[in-house]
Amino acid sequence: MTTIGISRRVSSLKASVTVAMMNRAKQMQASGIDVLSFAAGEPDFDTPDAIKQSAIDALRAGQTKYMPTLGDMPTRQTIADKLTKENQIPGLKGEHIAISAGGKHSLYVLCHCLLDAAAPGEQPWEVVLPVPSWVSYAPIAELAGGRVVEVPTTLKSDFKATAEQIRHAITPRSRMLILNSPSNPCGTMYSERELREIATVVAEAARTIAPHLVIVSDEIYEKIVYGGTRHFSIGSVPEVAERTITLNGLSKAYAMTGWRVGYTGCPGEWGKQFTSAMATLQGQMSTNITSFVYPAIRTALNECGAEVEAMRTAFATRAGVISKRLQAIDGLRTPRPTGAFYAFPDVSAHFGTVSPAGKRIASSLDLCEALLAEAHVAFVPGEDFGGCGGNHLRISFACSEQQIESGMDRFESFLGKLTRA
Ligand code: PMP
Ligand code: GLU
């Protein structure tokens, strides 16, 4: 029945390699193979009890019906208060907040609210994206009609784009600049000074050549920081505050990946207009998120600081353990992770080799496939993160120290067995 077909839009959509590797590792584990998985960008901790209890209480109390599309006002207001107090974003009220089913869903809906397919004779909207970057930004932006303008970064600069590079990438068709600090997959962070410089460039471009430009600042890893750099929200800079959409969610900080909670906040008149566009689209897409989750969001944001801090400390220790192991392995170059829970070593010195089972290793993908098949270690190949990502692979260290040690033993031993072709 292959003649029935699938839309061009979806047929040409790249599947998420992070999701694919995560699922493959799980499948192999389910079939009894002892796979050590470092593929999932997902905390290994359980959701704190108080959060679970709130959802259970709401469920028992019958909060099981449809709710306002973007969430009830007390929850939206709680998020606005959090962004005001912790992130110093000015002018936010509940009406500037949209709650969606995960940060990925927020990103999807916001891209469709900002981008369009180009009309005949028109240039497409451009999405300025420092790369390597999370695998979903480019496909989601392109699906909404945007053209991605990659800003290449290097290991030497901790994979950060400079304000000057961003200035050069901006054109009259620039619609979005996507920033992600701390970064998935790089594990590095922008400093306050660097973000202020970028804000100055965006504000100037918006006044001159790029009046439609909006910053989308994905801060989903904001709580997982341990390298001495303080997390800073670019949306707190007054000159760009009303053209910055801060994107966040509960998946990473609160170990709530399966709950599916994401949100956006954008202040000002346009922020209100944008948020109401989010409601229109989401109202035709999924309506509200699971009703009995709203009280759990309030509990997480208001009461779970100690649990978040305990998880942060564990990630900090693990970052130390994995860094030490990776630094000691021949032929790898690894930036020091300062945020999120990813190590992103350059493995290109091992290209041009052959694995013990005879597989030629010419790319990160080849290496990850061979590691999975022969050493039973799951990493994410770097190609789909864009830019120089193809020279790297991503290791999520959101797992026990013991697993990190065993995984690094397997990785090191496997690399030691590669022979020159
Ligand atoms: N942004 C980044 C950078 C991520 O790594 C993820 C992880 N999936 C997300 C957004 C979205 O996460 P979620 O949909 O679970 O909120
Ligand atoms: N963001 C996580 C990751 O990068 C989860 C999978 C996904 O949504 O991409 O692994």
Side-chain angles (χ1 to χ4, degrees):
M1 298 296 268
T2 50
T3 49
I4 296 176
I6 295 293
S7 70
R8 275 198 301 275
R9 192 187 302 115
V10 174
S11 304
S12 61
L13 182 64
K14 192 181 261 182
S16 164
V17 70
T18 48
V19 173
M21 282 308 276
M22 188 162 83
N23 290 341
R24 273 178 70 189
K26 277 190 186 144
Q27 261 169 18
M28 287 173 75
Q29 285 163 342
S31 70
I33 304 170
D34 165 35
V35 171
L36 295 179
S37 180
F38 298 87
E42 163 165 83
D44 54 326
F45 301 106
D46 196 2
T47 304
D49 272 340
I51 300 174
K52 289 185 183 174
Q53 195 57 51
S54 288
I56 292 167
D57 292 346
L59 188 52
R60 289 242 156 83
Q63 190 161 320
T64 56
K65 301 286 193 265
Y66 290 130
M67 301 259 299
T69 300
L70 297 184
D72 58 333
M73 213 20 109
T75 309
R76 293 169 76 192
Q77 188 58 49
T78 299
I79 293 171
D81 293 345
K82 178 257 181 254
L83 291 171
T84 305
K85 212 168 91 209
E86 287 184 6
N87 304 82
Q88 266 104 52
I89 298 171
L92 274 178
K93 298 198 191 113
E95 65 195 2
H96 298 111
I97 305 297
I99 305 174
S100 305
K104 197 183 274 181
H105 186 217
S106 299
L107 177 73
Y108 189 100
V109 182
L110 85 81
C111 279
H112 279 80
C113 290
L114 294 182
L115 302 168
D116 272 308
E122 193 182 60
Q123 291 299 313
W125 283 122
E126 291 168 358
V127 176
V128 178
L129 180 65
V131 286
S133 68
W134 179 41
V135 293
S136 289
Y137 295 130
I140 292 177
E142 284 165 358
L143 202 59
R147 187 172 77 81
V148 172
V149 176
E150 292 195 346
V151 178
T153 69
T154 62
L155 189 149
K156 224 169 131 200
S157 64
D158 269 345
F159 304 103
K160 291 184 284 192
T162 62
E164 214 32 52
Q165 278 182 295
I166 287 171
R167 187 198 309 279
H168 277 112
I170 294 173
T171 75
R173 292 303 290 166
S174 296
R175 180 63 163 147
M176 282 165 62
L177 162 65
I178 302 184
L179 296 174
N180 172 221
S181 175
S183 156
N184 173 9
C186 307
T188 54
M189 294 174 70
Y190 286 86
S191 68
E192 175 174 341
R193 185 179 55 78
E194 289 160 341
L195 288 167
R196 284 190 185 278
E197 284 168 6
I198 292 172
T200 302
V201 162
V202 168
E204 187 198 304
R207 274 193 305 271
T208 51
I209 62 162
H212 303 290
L213 180 58
V214 169
I215 301 172
V216 174
S217 179
D218 180 347
E219 304 184 9
I220 201 156
Y221 295 100
E222 66 167 342
K223 303 277 187 192
I224 305 169
V225 299
Y226 38 77
T229 306
R230 203 173 60 87
H231 172 76
F232 181 76
S233 293
I234 194 166
S236 68
V237 181
E239 349 164 51
V240 293
E242 295 192 5
R243 58 173 70 246
T244 299
I245 300 167
T246 302
L247 169 67
N248 207 327
L250 271 55
S251 285
K252 317 288 174 173
Y254 300 92
M256 289 175 69
T257 46
W259 292 65
R260 313 309 301 129
V261 182
Y263 61 83
T264 57
C266 183
E269 262 320 294
W270 180 78
K272 216 155 79 179
Q273 206 183 324
F274 160 74
T275 306
S276 130
M278 294 284 283
T280 305
L281 180 53
Q282 197 165 301
Q284 291 288 28
M285 190 177 190
S286 52
T287 320
N288 60 287
I289 67 163
T290 307
S291 299
F292 50 86
V293 165
Y294 293 116
I297 298 175
R298 300 199 292 274
T299 301
L301 297 181
N302 289 331
E303 295 171 29
C304 291
E307 287 89 338
V308 170
E309 177 56 17
M311 291 189 267
R312 189 197 68 79
T313 309
F315 287 125
T317 307
R318 295 162 178 188
V321 172
I322 197 160
S323 285
K324 199 159 148 225
R325 290 298 307 258
L326 290 170
Q327 297 303 339
I329 298 177
D330 267 353
L332 298 185
R333 290 192 309 142
T334 313
R336 194 171 69 90
T338 55
F341 36 65
Y342 303 109
F344 198 52
D346 181 335
V347 291
S348 59
H350 295 279
F351 296 171
T353 59
V354 178
S355 77
K359 183 176 172 61
R360 285 181 176 276
I361 310 292
S363 65
S364 176
L365 181 61
D366 291 342
L367 182 58
C368 288
E369 289 291 346
L371 275 161
L372 185 58
E374 300 174 39
H376 298 164
V377 188
F379 298 147
V380 177
E383 285 86 351
D384 287 1
F385 296 105
C388 66
N391 287 335
H392 295 254
L393 53 77
R394 191 190 79 175
I395 307 175
S396 165
F397 54 82
C399 58
S400 69
E401 284 170 53
Q402 193 195 347
Q403 181 177 322
I404 295 172
E405 294 286 4
S406 310
M408 290 304 105
D409 288 345
R410 289 189 194 181
F411 186 33
E412 184 166 18
S413 146
F414 182 83
L415 291 178
K417 284 189 254 169
L418 296 175
T419 50
R420 282 282 143 196

